[in-house]
Amino acid sequence: MATVLQILIKIMLNQTDVTPASFILTGIPGLEDMQMWISFPFCSMYVVALVGNCGLLYLIHYEDALHRPMYYFLAMLSLTDLVMCSSTIPKALCIFWFHLKEISFEECLVQMFFIHTFTGMESGVLMLMALDRYVAICYPLHYSTILTNPVIVKVGIATFLRAVFLIIPLIFFTKRLPYCRGNIIHHTYCDQLSVAKLSCGNIKINVIYGLMAAFLIGGFDILCITVSYTMILRAVVSLSSADARWKAFSTCTAHICAIVFSYSPAFFCFFFNRFGSHTIPPSCHILVANIYLLLPPTMNPIVYGVKTKQIRDYVIKILSHSKNTKSYNT
């Protein structure tokens, strides 16, 4: 009774330091009996994401022929994907397998920061890759002089800092809220809105700022991607040879697939949080929210490995060398 009274006094005095020591992540509500089965595709996709993206980073680092702007941006994407899925999936698997549902308040904020920062970074890198394809197709003679190594480093750092500086205030707004509606989060990770809804304070600033950050990052990036591909299509259509048109546009197919894998579940999660919470089952939303963070890291190295001839050739070369070495040793 005394504890409840203290919380009420703090709320009446407009104090915002009512914070729980920890939260409880329930996993996927409504699918508790199936979580063990759900964990296997999650784990398989996570292993593919780790192996695929680490493999891409290894190839790009050690093969001199891949030291080009397109592959530097791909390395940024792979690194972003690794951090993005590693921020959530290990904890989700711990919930599914070992029922380790507790997460401290500070760990929850850190996880929230990494999730939102690197999803923003993912969007930014996809935008940079669209600009890279635009320069490569529309200004091929100036490609190497426009996208120099210092320029790539600067735009990469700027994209990362943009995400960091836009997300830090959101974490601060979440931290300052008073939490007196329990500590149970019906999710597999600390999503900003899911955490904020446990507050008995005014979360309007969280909602408004979250929307603003989403539009400043996602809206701006989608606009740049759309403009880039509009200019690319104009340049490709103007080519006289059908073979030249196909060859030029085929360099974009892997990037277009990456955009689809990244933005499709992102749009679903965004519109569900704002408009569909009463019509779509929470379990469906949480599954898609996890797929949003797991599908791009899993599929991007596969798509780029299949669609990019240089990467495909090097993978075949490595596998053939490994097979020949094994045969020689036996």
Side-chain angles (χ1 to χ4, degrees):
M1 179 65 72
T3 305
V4 174
L5 204 58
Q6 287 174 356
I7 291 173
L8 289 173
I9 291 170
K10 287 181 179 180
I11 295 170
M12 287 187 290
L13 293 175
N14 198 31
Q15 293 180 351
T16 59
D17 59 341
V18 184
T19 57
S22 62
F23 290 114
I24 303 297
L25 295 166
T26 62
I28 305 175
L31 297 177
E32 289 83 1
D33 295 336
M34 298 180 62
Q35 286 184 161
M36 180 60 72
W37 297 105
I38 294 170
S39 69
F40 291 113
F42 273 37
C43 182
S44 300
M45 292 174 72
Y46 182 54
V47 170
V48 171
L50 290 179
V51 173
N53 286 290
C54 288
L56 275 180
L57 289 170
Y58 173 85
L59 276 178
I60 294 167
H61 178 72
Y62 284 103
E63 296 294 343
D64 292 338
L66 300 181
H67 292 176
R68 295 166 53 195
M70 172 184 172
Y71 300 106
Y72 290 146
F73 288 127
L74 181 56
M76 289 184 201
L77 186 67
S78 292
L79 191 58
T80 301
D81 283 341
L82 282 171
V83 177
M84 193 169 71
C85 64
S86 296
S87 300
T88 56
I89 300 304
K91 181 60 181 177
L93 294 177
C94 286
I95 295 170
F96 297 157
W97 290 343
F98 310 113
H99 303 288
L100 299 175
K101 301 181 178 182
E102 188 174 2
I103 184 170
S104 72
F105 184 73
E106 291 75 17
E107 289 173 342
C108 188
L109 292 178
V110 170
Q111 186 186 52
M112 192 187 306
F113 171 78
F114 274 96
I115 291 168
H116 292 294
T117 297
F118 281 89
T119 51
M121 182 71 179
E122 172 101 354
S123 176
V125 174
L126 288 173
M127 180 265 293
L128 294 177
M129 295 175 84
L131 295 176
D132 167 75
R133 292 299 83 205
Y134 163 69
V135 175
I137 293 173
C138 297
Y139 301 98
L141 299 179
H142 304 286
Y143 180 68
S144 59
T145 56
I146 293 174
L147 290 176
T148 60
N149 288 348
V151 169
I152 293 169
V153 171
K154 287 175 184 176
V155 296
I157 292 173
T159 303
F160 175 71
L161 292 179
R162 179 192 66 165
V164 169
F165 287 132
L166 282 173
I167 297 304
I168 282 178
L170 192 62
I171 306 302
F172 173 76
F173 295 145
T174 306
K175 185 180 187 300
R176 59 176 282 279
L177 291 170
Y179 293 92
C180 47
R181 291 182 177 170
N183 67 336
I184 297 176
I185 302 173
H186 297 291
H187 215 304
T188 57
Y189 59 81
C190 289
D191 174 68
Q192 187 269 143
L193 273 179
S194 299
V195 175
K197 287 176 181 176
L198 296 178
S199 171
C200 49
N202 187 351
I203 66 169
K204 187 178 291 185
I205 189 171
N206 290 65
V207 175
I208 293 173
Y209 186 84
L211 282 169
M212 186 182 75
F215 281 116
L216 286 174
I217 295 175
F220 176 79
D221 294 342
I222 290 170
L223 177 63
C224 289
I225 290 170
T226 303
V227 171
S228 296
Y229 272 99
T230 302
M231 301 300 290
I232 287 170
L233 282 172
R234 287 180 58 185
V236 169
V237 169
S238 66
L239 295 174
S240 57
S241 167
D243 186 53
R245 286 197 294 269
W246 168 248
K247 185 177 180 181
F249 195 72
S250 65
T251 63
C252 302
T253 54
H255 181 245
I256 292 171
C257 291
I259 291 171
V260 171
F261 290 136
S262 182
Y263 283 115
S264 297
F267 280 131
F268 181 92
C269 292
F270 179 82
F271 285 109
F272 174 86
N273 279 331
R274 271 75 189 178
F275 311 111
S277 56
H278 300 297
T279 57
I280 302 174
S283 57
C284 181
H285 162 61
I286 292 170
L287 279 172
V288 175
N290 280 276
I291 290 170
Y292 165 47
L293 299 176
L294 189 54
L295 185 64
T298 304
M299 295 306 299
N300 287 343
I302 295 173
V303 169
Y304 275 95
V306 171
K307 293 289 186 181
T308 309
K309 184 179 184 301
Q310 291 88 338
I311 293 176
R312 187 171 66 246
D313 289 345
Y314 279 116
V315 170
I316 293 171
K317 176 183 171 183
I318 290 171
L319 292 176
S320 300
H321 178 73
S322 175
K323 185 178 179 180
N324 292 336
T325 304
K326 186 177 179 180
S327 300
Y328 177 78
N329 290 334
T330 56

